[in-house]
């Protein structure tokens, strides 16, 4: 599965490590919340890059204090219908100030790219290479935002009343 | 009414193009049905028993004549010549093809309409008082706030995949005609002591298999905080609502399981964090939206209309219609007219393309070009001069639209039932038709007075049977259709869930059972002015039950 960062196929140097697997040498690792909690001390001591993988039901608040340790947060979408990850992402970015890579993993189809993008995700585990083009096209396919979100696009409530917008009307 | 600016137009045009691409990918097999389902649902396309069904949003039930003409055109061109107005103020077309569905959305975009989020587990079309802007008893036009909510909720990226569907209703009048207490969120407009606009917020109402009346979680929310408060509620629900069982996934179950007070605390805690964010409503935007709902330019008339009074004295049929279907307007000399879509032998809420065209023309002639859809599945001309009522009535009669039964026993709310719906357990429409036949005598119908009968073909309760004065629920037992009867439901200010009165009836006995309940009411009412629901509240279920099952 190709990794997309901001709509471009990117090298994925991260290694997702199962809870019972040995840690690879010298590679940045992605671990579960459970493993992070269990091995936090030794993981931090190794001075390596650490990513964490949250399941749909893991809330942002649970890792809020640990965010300085993470260079990557992966949020899992078990199915397209499980929308909890959107709230988790927005809280990580907007409330807890997380600025590292925010990666959507699991059941990701290109039709949810615009929602992911507006909620602060900058990376996805895509299905195929064509999804890179799909990301770039779909995040701008609807370029009107009725509400503020994490992408910092100006919502219509504000945009309509900018002096420039009034002049353009 | 609200008119799109370039932003609104751009959004629906882009959305229509995006959907066309998705539908084409499905037709070509590039998307599996599992992948396409949530996408088509977010554009109102359901797969039903015989065909696809498309549900189109009518935000807060307000239509222009041009929009209604377009719906007539869609009915004629893409359907079998009619449409079905729903209890959520929308319209459904029952005979749509997947291949043509993108064309319908493109046509709708041309008249500032769309089907975004008319189904799926997201924030659905926001509903409001069908008499908003015209009702004599309203504080402020609820559509201002409904439009603000419509925009905020449209393509909200965080809430596109909620645990379950989510419905918001707004009332601007102390007499709730929007059924806010059986919605996921209800918003009731109030003025505080300083005269500022704000809202009582109620949460966790709903019907379906587990009917509940919403609880108040905030008495007064200043208007500028409306969106941040809604966002806080939705965020709590999105994170903590149950996803393990779709029958326990609505917000009412979350509120019920953790309790209204703890739920309110969780919302307030979240809200504190976001109340002064970009969600704070800018005054100039509220003013802009308010300007679209400025009162129409109506003539200054006296409160009496002698020509209207004279006609009522000489024409009994007209007088009966005017009594049932016309209510007071805030402007003297005007009335609010309900056009009943409950003519005998018709499916409740259905209108043909010729009827829709005719109503659009009549709206242009008599009602400022404006039409409303009610949650009772009728249409409304909101601003009609009393002196024009007779002419309007004659024109409506020509199109079988002058049935004098608004709010009466044959003004039956019904879902499409097993005749159309893949979820249904039993038929609804034939039961409604049989009751209509039984109560066809107009004098008697008017003597019975206000009586809300509501029929659902399954426990999902799309026919709102839980809040019918008489509710009828179709169930299936060993391959046969039976109907359970409830009494005492009410969607309004005194919202209540009806109680099951006893064993269910076979389909051919339901109309007789309703007749029996009405006989008990007529025998028991204290005065002719005491409504069925008032009598029920006064004497309870027992007398009704005794008579109903006496001969069984």
């Amino acid at each position: 599965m190709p990794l997309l960062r901001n709509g471009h196929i990117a090298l994925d140097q991260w290694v997702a490590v199962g809870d019972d697997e040995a840690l690879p040498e010298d590679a940045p690792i992605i671990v579960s919340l459970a493993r992070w909690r269990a091995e936090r001390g030794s993981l931090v001591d190794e001075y390596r890059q650490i990513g964490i993988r949250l399941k749909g039901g893991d809330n942002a608040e649970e890792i809020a204090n640990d965010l300085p340790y993470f260079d990557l947060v992966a949020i899992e979408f078990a199915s397209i219908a499980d929308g909890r990850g959107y709230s988790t992402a927005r809280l990580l970015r907007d409330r807890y100030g997380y600025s590292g890579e925010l990666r959507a993993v699991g059941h990701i189809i290109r039709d949810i790219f615009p929602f992911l993008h507006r909620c602060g995700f900058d990376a996805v585990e895509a299905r195929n290479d064509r999804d890179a083009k799909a990301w770039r096209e779909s995040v701008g396919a609807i370029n009107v935002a009725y509400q503020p979100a994490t992408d910092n696009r100006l919502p219509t409530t504000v945009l309509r009343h900018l002096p420039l917008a009034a002049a353009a009307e | 009414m609200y008119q799109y600016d370039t932003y609104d137009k751009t959004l629906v045009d882009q959305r229509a193009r995006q959907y066309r691409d998705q539908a084409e990918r499905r037709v070509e097999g590039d998307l599996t049905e599992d992948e396409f389902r949530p996408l088509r649902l977010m554009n109102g396309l359901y797969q039903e028993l015989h065909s696809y069904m498309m549900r189109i949003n009518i935000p807060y039930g307000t239509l222009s004549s041009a929009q209604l003409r377009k719906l007539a055109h869609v009915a004629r061109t893409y359907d079998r010549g009619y449409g079905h107005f729903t209890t959520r103020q929308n319209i459904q077309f029952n005979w749509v093809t997947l291949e043509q569905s993108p064309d319908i959305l493109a046509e709708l975009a041309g008249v500032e309409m769309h089907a975004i989020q008319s189904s799926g587990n997201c924030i659905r079309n926001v509903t409001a008082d069908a008499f908003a802007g015209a009702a004599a008893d309203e504080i402020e036009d609820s559509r201002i706030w409904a439009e603000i909510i419509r925009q905020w909720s449209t393509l909200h990226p965080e809430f596109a995949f909620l645990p379950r569907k989510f419905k918001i209703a707004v009332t601007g009048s102390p007499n709730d005609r929007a059924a806010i207490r059986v919605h996921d969120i209800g918003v009731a407009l109030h003025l505080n002591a300083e005269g500022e606009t704000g809202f009582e917020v109620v949460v966790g109402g709903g019907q379906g298999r587990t009917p509940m009346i919403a609880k108040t979680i905030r008495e007064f929310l200043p208007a500028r905080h409306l969106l941040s408060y809604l966002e806080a509620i939705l965020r709590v629900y999105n994170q903590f609502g149950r996803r393990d069982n779709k029958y326990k996934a609505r917000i009412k179950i979350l509120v019920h399981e953790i309790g209204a007070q703890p739920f309110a605390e969780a919302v307030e805690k979240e809200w504190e964090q976001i109340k002064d964010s970009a969600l704070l409503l800018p005054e100039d935007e509220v003013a802009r939206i308010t300007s679209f709902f400025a009162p129409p330019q109506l003539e200054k008339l006296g409160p009496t209309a002698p020509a209207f009074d004279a006609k009522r004295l000489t024409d009994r049929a007209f007088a009966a219609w005017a009594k049932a279907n016309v209510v007071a307007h805030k402007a003297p000399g005007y009335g609010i007219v309900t056009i009943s879509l409950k003519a005998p032998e018709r499916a409740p809420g259905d209108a043909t393309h010729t009827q829709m065209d005719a109503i659009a023309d009549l709206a242009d002639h008599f009602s400022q070009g404006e039409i409303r859809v009610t949650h009772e599945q009728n249409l409304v001309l909101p601003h009609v001069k009393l002196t024009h009522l007779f002419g309007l009535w004659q024109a409506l009669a020509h199109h079988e639209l002058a049935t004098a039964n608004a709010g009466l026993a044959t003004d039956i709310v019904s879902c499409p039932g097993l005749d159309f719906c893949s979820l249904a357990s039993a038929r609804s429409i034939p039961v409604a038709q049989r009751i209509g036949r039984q109560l066809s005598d107009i004098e008697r119908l008017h003597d019975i007075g206000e009586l809300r009968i509501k029929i659902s073909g399954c426990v999902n309760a799309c026919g709102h049977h839980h809040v019918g004065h008489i509710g009828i629920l179709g169930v299936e037992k060993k391959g046969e259709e039976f109907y359970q009867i409830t009494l005492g439901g009410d969607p309004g200010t005194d919202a209540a869930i009806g109680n099951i009165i006893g064993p269910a009836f076979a389909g051919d006995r339901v109309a007789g059972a309703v007749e029996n309940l009405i006989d008990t009411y007529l025998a028991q009412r204290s005065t002719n002015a005491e409504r069925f629901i008032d009598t029920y509240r006064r004497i309870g279920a027992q007398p009704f039950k005794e008579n109903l099952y006496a001969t069984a």
Side-chain angles (χ1 to χ4, degrees):
Chain A
M1 280 193 296
L3 176 75
L4 305 184
R5 283 200 186 100
N6 298 312
H8 294 279
I9 295 174
L11 184 67
D12 188 6
Q13 69 279 46
W14 292 84
V15 179
V17 187
D19 283 356
D20 303 321
E21 285 175 6
L23 297 179
E25 296 281 327
D26 290 335
I29 52 164
I30 304 174
V31 296
S32 70
L33 179 59
R35 187 158 187 174
W36 165 252
R37 282 176 173 161
E39 299 175 26
R40 175 196 168 115
S42 60
L43 290 172
V44 170
D45 284 348
E46 290 183 48
Y47 298 104
R48 68 161 97 204
Q49 283 187 297
I50 302 168
I52 190 157
R53 181 179 175 115
L54 301 181
K55 291 192 178 304
D58 298 331
N59 293 312
E61 203 173 356
E62 298 179 66
I63 59 163
N65 293 329
D66 294 341
L67 284 171
Y69 298 107
F70 304 136
D71 291 294
L72 180 147
V73 177
I75 298 177
E76 188 177 319
F77 291 79
S79 81
I80 183 176
D82 184 356
R84 290 175 291 188
Y86 298 103
S87 289
T88 310
R90 290 202 62 194
L91 289 169
L92 287 175
R93 291 270 196 239
D94 298 348
R95 184 154 312 158
Y96 303 117
Y98 175 70
S99 60
E101 178 171 328
L102 192 52
R103 184 185 290 193
V105 301
H107 195 101
I108 309 294
I109 65 170
R110 68 189 236 190
D111 303 277
I112 66 169
F113 289 172
F115 299 127
L116 293 172
H117 177 253
R118 293 215 64 210
C119 288
F121 287 95
D122 53 4
V124 285
E125 265 179 26
R127 287 185 164 185
N128 55 53
D129 293 350
R130 283 177 301 161
D131 280 347
K133 186 161 173 275
W135 173 285
R136 298 195 300 272
E137 286 171 1
S138 69
V139 297
I142 293 178
N143 57 18
V144 175
Y146 270 140
Q147 59 294 101
T150 305
D151 58 352
N152 289 327
R153 211 182 280 181
L154 278 181
T156 47
T157 46
V158 175
L159 204 50
R160 281 173 169 140
H161 303 284
L162 293 179
L164 279 174
E169 281 283 309
Chain B
M1 58 186 282
Y2 186 72
Q3 282 170 2
Y4 280 14
D5 68 2
T6 53
Y7 298 108
D8 305 296
K9 277 200 186 79
T10 302
L11 187 141
V12 295
D13 286 343
Q14 291 177 339
R15 175 63 162 199
R17 279 202 290 278
Q18 183 186 54
Y19 175 72
R20 185 180 293 281
D21 170 63
Q22 291 165 342
E24 281 169 5
R25 280 159 56 215
R26 173 68 192 119
V27 171
E28 286 158 15
D30 194 24
L31 280 176
T32 66
E33 176 54 23
D34 272 355
E35 289 166 344
F36 182 58
R37 188 185 305 113
L39 306 174
R40 67 169 161 76
L41 287 178
M42 274 191 279
N43 288 285
L45 197 68
Y46 280 82
Q47 186 141 34
E48 290 295 13
L49 280 181
H50 314 290
S51 163
Y52 282 100
M53 176 273 276
M54 181 172 270
R55 181 185 296 142
I56 293 156
N57 291 326
I58 301 174
Y60 36 90
T62 293
L63 282 170
S64 69
S65 53
Q67 290 173 327
L68 186 54
R69 273 190 204 99
K70 180 62 83 176
L71 295 176
H73 169 75
V74 170
R76 199 161 39 234
T77 314
Y78 302 97
D79 198 276
R80 296 187 179 174
Y82 66 96
H84 175 76
F85 289 97
T86 77
T87 54
R88 297 210 71 257
Q89 303 179 311
N90 291 323
I91 188 167
Q92 296 180 180
F93 291 106
N94 280 309
W95 305 98
V96 166
T97 65
L98 173 60
E99 289 77 6
Q100 289 191 324
S101 58
D103 298 336
I104 299 175
L105 292 186
E107 296 242 24
L108 292 170
V111 291
E112 308 186 356
M113 295 184 81
H114 60 75
I116 299 169
Q117 293 165 216
S118 68
S119 53
N121 292 335
C122 48
I123 304 172
R124 302 288 188 90
N125 185 40
V126 58
T127 56
D129 183 353
F131 295 168
D137 60 7
E138 87 179 356
I139 304 163
E140 201 174 284
D141 194 327
S142 48
R143 295 173 303 165
I144 297 163
W145 306 100
E147 174 60 25
I148 287 170
I149 296 169
R150 180 192 77 81
Q151 295 194 18
W152 161 79
S153 62
T154 299
L155 299 183
H156 196 303
E158 187 178 343
F159 306 130
F161 299 95
L162 296 168
R164 200 74 179 83
K165 59 188 170 182
F166 204 92
K167 302 174 181 179
I168 303 176
V170 189
T171 176
S173 159
N175 299 308
D176 175 14
R177 283 175 292 263
I180 66 159
R181 283 181 175 75
V182 286
H183 279 78
D184 294 287
I185 296 179
V187 175
L189 196 146
H190 291 290
L191 300 180
N192 69 6
E194 287 75 46
E196 292 164 331
T197 301
F199 308 100
E200 178 186 356
V201 181
V202 304
V203 171
Q207 302 199 49
R209 350 190 134 215
T210 321
M212 289 188 190
I213 300 295
K215 316 280 190 305
T216 299
I217 61 164
R218 197 166 230 279
E219 298 284 351
F220 188 84
L221 176 76
R224 65 186 179 282
H225 293 304
L226 178 63
L227 296 184
S228 56
Y229 205 80
L230 295 179
E231 185 139 319
I233 295 171
L234 265 297
R235 184 170 281 167
V236 169
Y237 171 57
N238 190 39
Q239 293 179 96
F240 301 105
R242 286 180 62 172
R243 291 173 186 265
D244 58 325
N245 177 343
K246 74 181 251 195
Y247 302 121
K248 299 192 171 179
R250 293 288 288 270
I251 196 173
K252 63 191 171 189
I253 303 292
L254 177 65
V255 173
H256 179 73
E257 285 183 350
I258 71 172
Q261 187 57 37
F263 180 82
E265 285 162 17
V267 169
E268 294 277 331
K269 188 176 158 215
E270 176 60 35
W271 180 60
E272 279 300 322
Q273 302 270 348
I274 58 174
K275 65 198 273 274
D276 299 311
S277 70
L279 288 164
L280 196 67
L281 272 169
E283 277 176 34
D284 45 9
E285 178 64 359
V286 175
R288 187 188 78 90
I289 291 188
T290 302
S291 70
F292 289 108
F293 298 97
Q297 299 292 318
L298 301 179
E299 282 177 47
K300 292 239 181 300
L301 301 172
T304 58
F308 167 56
D309 295 337
K311 281 291 182 197
R312 279 192 296 176
L313 286 173
T314 54
D315 192 319
R316 283 169 72 88
F318 172 61
W321 177 80
K323 180 164 183 264
N325 294 39
V326 183
V327 302
H329 196 284
K330 63 167 78 167
Y334 282 82
I336 305 170
V337 173
T338 296
I339 299 172
S340 170
L341 297 181
K342 316 294 174 63
E345 306 302 323
R346 294 287 183 166
D350 278 9
T352 66
H353 66 100
T354 45
Q355 287 179 322
M356 288 190 249
D357 276 335
I359 293 168
D361 290 347
L362 292 171
D364 281 339
H365 277 103
F366 294 114
S367 180
Q368 312 275 324
E370 218 183 280
I371 303 102
R372 308 290 178 77
V373 186
T374 76
H375 72 78
E376 278 99 10
Q377 303 180 288
N378 292 316
L379 298 181
V380 166
L381 297 182
H383 312 292
V384 183
K385 265 190 213 173
L386 296 180
T387 50
H388 286 161
L389 285 174
F390 189 74
L392 171 63
W393 175 70
Q394 288 179 310
L396 288 171
H398 186 68
H399 295 280
E400 284 184 80
L401 290 167
T403 312
N405 65 352
L408 304 179
T410 56
D411 184 3
I412 297 170
V413 170
S414 167
C415 69
L418 195 54
D419 292 307
F420 295 97
C421 178
S422 57
L423 301 173
S425 316
R427 287 169 296 169
S428 311
I429 295 167
V431 174
Q433 289 168 335
R434 222 175 272 150
I435 296 169
R437 237 170 275 148
Q438 185 102 10
L439 297 171
S440 57
D441 184 275
I442 192 83
E443 301 281 335
R444 181 143 183 278
L445 191 64
H446 281 252
D447 179 42
I448 297 164
E450 184 184 337
L451 174 53
R452 311 276 178 177
I453 301 177
K454 297 176 191 271
I455 307 174
S456 304
C458 78
V459 291
N460 292 311
C462 298
H464 292 185
H465 68 278
H466 292 300
V467 292
H469 296 168
I470 298 176
I472 298 168
L473 166 65
V475 293
E476 186 248 296
K477 282 187 206 166
K478 295 181 186 144
E480 281 188 66
E481 295 160 300
F482 281 88
Y483 296 86
Q484 218 166 52
I485 294 182
T486 54
L487 290 184
D490 188 337
T493 314
D494 302 314
I497 304 296
N499 295 306
I500 296 171
I501 180 134
F505 292 87
D508 57 358
R509 295 198 50 212
V510 175
V514 169
E515 188 77 53
N516 181 299
L517 294 168
I518 291 172
D519 286 341
T520 304
Y521 154 66
L522 292 174
Q524 294 278 351
R525 68 180 174 188
S526 57
T527 68
N528 286 6
E530 188 179 69
R531 302 173 306 159
F532 181 96
I533 186 72
D534 300 325
T535 303
Y536 172 82
R537 285 179 183 151
R538 182 170 56 79
I539 68 175
Q542 201 54 34
F544 290 96
K545 195 170 174 171
E546 278 166 20
N547 288 340
L548 186 58
Y549 294 101
T551 53

